Amino acid sequence: MRTPADIRLGVVDDHPTFRAGLLSSLSTAGFRELSAVGSTEELGTLRPDVVLCDLEFPPGLRSGRAAVAYVVGLGCQVIAFSHLARADAQLDALAAGARGFVPKSEDPAVFCRAVAQVAGGGHWIDPALAGALLREVALRPLAHHEIGRAELDLLRALAQGDAPAEYEQRAGLAAGGADRLLDRVLEAEGRRRRVQLPSAREYEIIELVGRQGLPAREAAGRLFIGESTLKTHLESIRRKYLETHSGARPAVTPREAARRWAEELDGRSPA
């Protein structure tokens, strides 16, 4: 595993106080080549080996999976972090190419371990994220090229708090075997989210109609689209909901489908 002094590390976060505190902790831990910017737009010619990238930025700046995808496109390994990101936003980040996720409230030592793991070609999947990936497989199985028993066994082990190396030893895998399995897990999750889950526009409509309960006309006005266009998106949301929820009633309305999906994204069981 590479030492901190050998890793070029970048931090992308728009909160100066948090950014300064994290940089201080990373420097104390031995990281020497450090850079920090307030948004992905400010990266310029910087090309760190690993980038710690926040998922939440002010309007007008890249956020969420768009921010992750941009930094990955620069050739950097990305670890996403956030204070408030729901499991769905974390999975979006993985599907966009992030190698892991760390809650912003975690101890700086956890950030250091995550960076070292990812810089060495690994992933950083904590128990909560492993559990979210397992739920995705159960709730929205792929028709083709779904992950197999070995990948599921690894996710169950990670969800219980095992380290990848512990799983490798128990499963009789060579060093790096767990990371190769996780590569397949994340490839499958990327396909799942592209094929089965709402588009970026549909997520906006789920927020306004499903979570906030706005009338169609008001929601359409906020998004600067016609009411008929919004209703077309709602029908698409209903179709995708039925396709990915085998127990759903066929008579579910588009608005109800949006509400149920909003509850699911919040981590609640739909009523």
Side-chain angles (χ1 to χ4, degrees), residues 46 66 87 95 115 131 147 152 174 217 225 266 271:
L46 292 173
V115 169
I147 62 174
L152 289 170
R217 179 172 296 180
I225 60 176
D266 278 339

Side-chain angles (χ1 to χ4, degrees), residues 32-175:
R32 295 291 174 260
E33 293 193 56
L34 291 167
S35 56
V37 294
S39 68
T40 60
E41 285 80 357
E42 296 175 33
L43 278 169
T45 60
L46 292 173
R47 295 296 182 271
D49 299 317
V50 179
V51 172
L52 292 163
C53 184
D54 195 2
L55 293 179
E56 297 160 12
F57 291 92
L61 299 175
R62 295 186 195 92
S63 293
R65 55 186 169 186
V68 171
Y70 177 79
V71 181
V72 170
L74 297 178
C76 307
Q77 303 281 21
V78 175
I79 301 170
F81 66 90
S82 174
H83 263 315
L84 303 173
R86 299 184 298 270
D88 194 69
Q90 297 174 32
L91 294 171
D92 270 347
L94 295 184
R99 304 284 289 183
F101 176 85
V102 178
K104 208 168 184 177
S105 57
E106 274 285 13
D107 188 277
V110 175
F111 282 89
C112 294
R113 291 199 298 272
V115 169
Q117 182 80 7
V118 168
H123 304 76
W124 189 263
I125 307 295
D126 68 10
L129 190 50
L133 286 162
L134 281 170
R135 288 191 295 275
E136 284 288 289
V137 176
L139 184 62
R140 290 183 266 270
L142 289 168
H144 305 286
H145 307 297
E146 183 56 276
I147 62 174
R149 180 177 298 176
E151 291 86 0
L152 289 170
D153 286 346
L154 170 60
L155 287 177
R156 293 188 187 103
L158 296 179
Q160 292 170 1
D162 290 354
E166 292 175 313
Y167 176 79
E168 288 171 349
Q169 184 175 15
R170 189 167 62 251
L173 297 177

Side-chain angles (χ1 to χ4, degrees), residues 6 23 25 27 29 57 59 71 107 147 163 183-184 197 230 246 256 265:
D6 297 329
L23 284 175
S25 297
S27 177
F57 291 92
V71 181
D107 188 277
I147 62 174
D183 281 336
R184 294 202 284 271
L197 294 185
L230 182 131
S246 58
E256 184 180 0
L265 298 179

